[in-house]
């Protein structure tokens, strides 16, 4: 099968000879056994227990950061296999990893990695989101830094802006610049209370990596002579983020959408109930 056939979403109802057979639908679904991964579930359970009972899941690169809306906690904190599976299967970021990871590479020979890994990281509830930063490196030069959580305003960042920029620059020069092979990339760091900087993750330049308070066009034009740290300077500067995102279907109220049909059905039902009440009153 060709790769483009694999990536294409197949919709049998669009085929001319598509026929719904008897026993399809709910009856067929009830007879089909649900997917089961007992060995994987056991490994995941053991890993979660060894990491303190709560984890943060991700695949080769992407985490299901766009599915916090569906979690009961409003975060990516998972305590069992079912919660991890729910986040992964609901994530567009994960789908990108599975089918289009290499699409932005000019020298690609495939659209995705040959193997995939599920990485579980220990969940640290004490981490402060305002101390996470994304750093952008272009042609081996650190050209920009910005706060990772752009959906809130943190006054402490305004107070410590210069100090934070210096400790992040120092980490890059001493630990990353000559050690990391890629010439252009992004990396995320966390600054502790005592000023230590810890590397959280590395991300590809461009593609699905969010530039947050920058644009990729801006970053490509920066020279790195003077590194800029961008933060949300006031509540007016708050940006929407993936943690506040919901599926488009939730917001789409245009004609023919799911919400449009739902509201039409509600109107019909209200009219039916009103007419029924009037008939009883008249009788």
């Amino acid at each position: 099968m060709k790769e483009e056939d694999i990536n294409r979403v197949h919709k049998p109802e669009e085929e001319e000879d598509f026929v719904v057979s008897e026993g399809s639908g709910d009856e067929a679904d009830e007879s089909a056994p649900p997917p089961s991964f007992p060995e994987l579930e056991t490994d995941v359970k053991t890993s979660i227990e060894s990491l303190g009972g709560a984890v943060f899941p991700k695949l080769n690169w992407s985490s299901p950061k766009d599915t916090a809306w569906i979690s009961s906690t409003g975060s990516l904190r998972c305590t069992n296999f079912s919660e991890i599976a729910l986040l992964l299967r609901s994530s567009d970021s994960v789908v990108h990893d599975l089918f289009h990871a290499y699409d932005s590479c000019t020298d690609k020979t495939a659209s995705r990695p040959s193997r995939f890994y599920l990485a579980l990281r220990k969940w640290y509830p004490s981490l402060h989101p305002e101390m996470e930063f994304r750093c952008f490196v272009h042609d081996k030069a650190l050209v920009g830094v910005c706060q990772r959580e752009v959906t809130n305003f943190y006054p402490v960042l305004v107070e410590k802006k210069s100090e934070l920029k210096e400790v992040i620059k120092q980490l890059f020069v001493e630990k990353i610049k000559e050690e990391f092979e890629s010439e252009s990339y992004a990396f995320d760091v966390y600054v502790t209370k005592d000023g230590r900087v810890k590397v959280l993750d590395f991300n590809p330049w461009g593609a699905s990596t969010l530039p947050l308070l920058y644009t990729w066009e801006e970053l490509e034009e920066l020279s790195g002579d003077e590194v800029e740290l961008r933060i949300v300077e006031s509540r007016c500067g708050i940006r929407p983020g993936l943690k506040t995102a919901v599926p488009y279907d939730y917001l789409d109220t245009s004609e023919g959408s799911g919400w449009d049909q739902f509201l039409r059905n509600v109107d019909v039902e209200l009219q039916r109930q009103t007419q029924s009440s009037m008939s009883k009153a008249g009788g």
Side-chain angles (χ1 to χ4, degrees):
M1 182 180 290
K2 295 182 179 179
E3 188 171 353
E4 56 266 26
D5 294 332
I6 298 175
N7 292 338
R8 186 174 69 88
V9 178
H10 179 62
K11 296 183 178 180
E13 65 272 17
E14 295 178 355
E15 303 292 341
E16 293 182 359
D17 58 350
F18 174 68
V19 178
V20 178
S21 59
E22 293 184 6
S24 62
D26 294 340
E27 294 180 7
D29 292 339
E30 290 176 2
S31 61
S36 177
F37 311 96
E39 293 183 6
L40 177 59
E41 289 189 43
T42 300
D43 290 343
V44 167
K45 181 180 179 181
T46 302
S47 298
I48 292 175
E49 291 174 352
S50 68
L51 292 171
V55 297
F56 167 87
K58 65 175 298 183
L59 290 190
N60 294 29
W61 295 305
S62 301
S63 65
K65 50 185 175 291
D66 53 335
T67 57
W69 64 273
I70 204 172
S71 169
S72 60
T73 62
S75 70
L76 301 184
R77 179 180 182 273
C78 296
T79 58
N80 55 58
F81 179 82
S82 296
E83 292 176 348
I84 293 172
L86 175 63
L87 295 184
L88 294 179
R89 68 181 297 183
S90 305
S91 173
D92 286 339
S93 296
V94 168
V95 169
H96 179 272
D97 262 16
L98 295 176
F99 294 101
H100 307 288
Y102 296 153
D103 281 4
S104 62
C105 299
T106 56
D107 58 347
K108 71 170 184 175
T109 57
S111 292
R112 59 181 185 174
S114 58
R115 300 181 66 182
F116 294 95
Y117 301 90
L118 173 62
L120 303 179
R121 295 182 173 181
K122 182 179 178 65
W123 180 267
Y124 289 94
S126 60
L127 292 182
H128 300 283
E130 68 271 21
M131 288 294 113
E132 292 185 46
F133 299 89
R134 173 154 292 176
C135 312
F136 301 93
V137 179
H138 190 229
D139 292 335
K140 290 286 187 178
L142 181 63
V143 296
V145 180
C146 72
Q147 78 182 67
R148 184 72 180 81
E149 177 55 78
V150 298
T151 62
N152 210 339
F153 165 61
Y154 301 100
V156 66
L157 296 184
V158 179
E159 301 170 6
K160 296 185 176 183
K161 186 174 181 179
S162 298
E163 175 186 339
L164 291 167
K165 182 173 71 172
E166 290 306 315
V167 295
I168 292 173
K169 283 174 57 179
Q170 183 177 358
L171 170 81
F172 172 71
V173 172
E174 295 180 357
K175 302 293 184 180
I176 298 178
K177 185 175 183 179
E178 302 302 328
E179 300 295 331
F180 200 72
E181 295 183 359
S182 297
E183 295 186 352
S184 298
Y185 53 94
F187 64 96
D188 297 335
V189 299
Y190 181 81
V191 181
T192 63
K193 290 182 179 179
D194 57 3
R196 290 177 296 136
V197 185
K198 296 181 177 290
V199 177
L200 299 178
D201 206 355
F202 285 89
N203 305 282
W205 178 269
S208 60
T209 302
L210 298 177
L212 301 173
L213 296 176
Y214 292 93
T215 65
W216 286 114
E217 290 74 17
E218 286 180 300
L219 289 167
E220 290 178 352
E221 293 175 357
L222 296 176
S223 63
D225 295 335
E226 180 57 39
V227 179
E228 179 183 4
L229 170 58
R230 290 189 180 180
I231 61 174
V232 176
E233 302 280 356
S234 68
R235 296 192 180 280
C236 296
I238 291 176
R239 302 278 188 94
L242 287 177
K243 289 184 178 180
T244 60
V246 295
Y248 177 74
D249 291 347
Y250 274 37
L251 304 176
D252 181 19
T253 58
S254 61
E255 185 175 355
S257 66
W259 276 114
D260 176 58
Q261 187 61 47
F262 171 75
L263 294 174
R264 289 175 183 271
N265 292 340
V266 169
D267 287 339
V268 171
E269 179 63 20
L270 287 175
Q271 291 177 13
R272 187 191 67 78
Q273 292 182 9
T274 300
Q275 292 173 357
S276 177
S277 298
M278 292 177 64
S279 298
K280 291 180 180 179

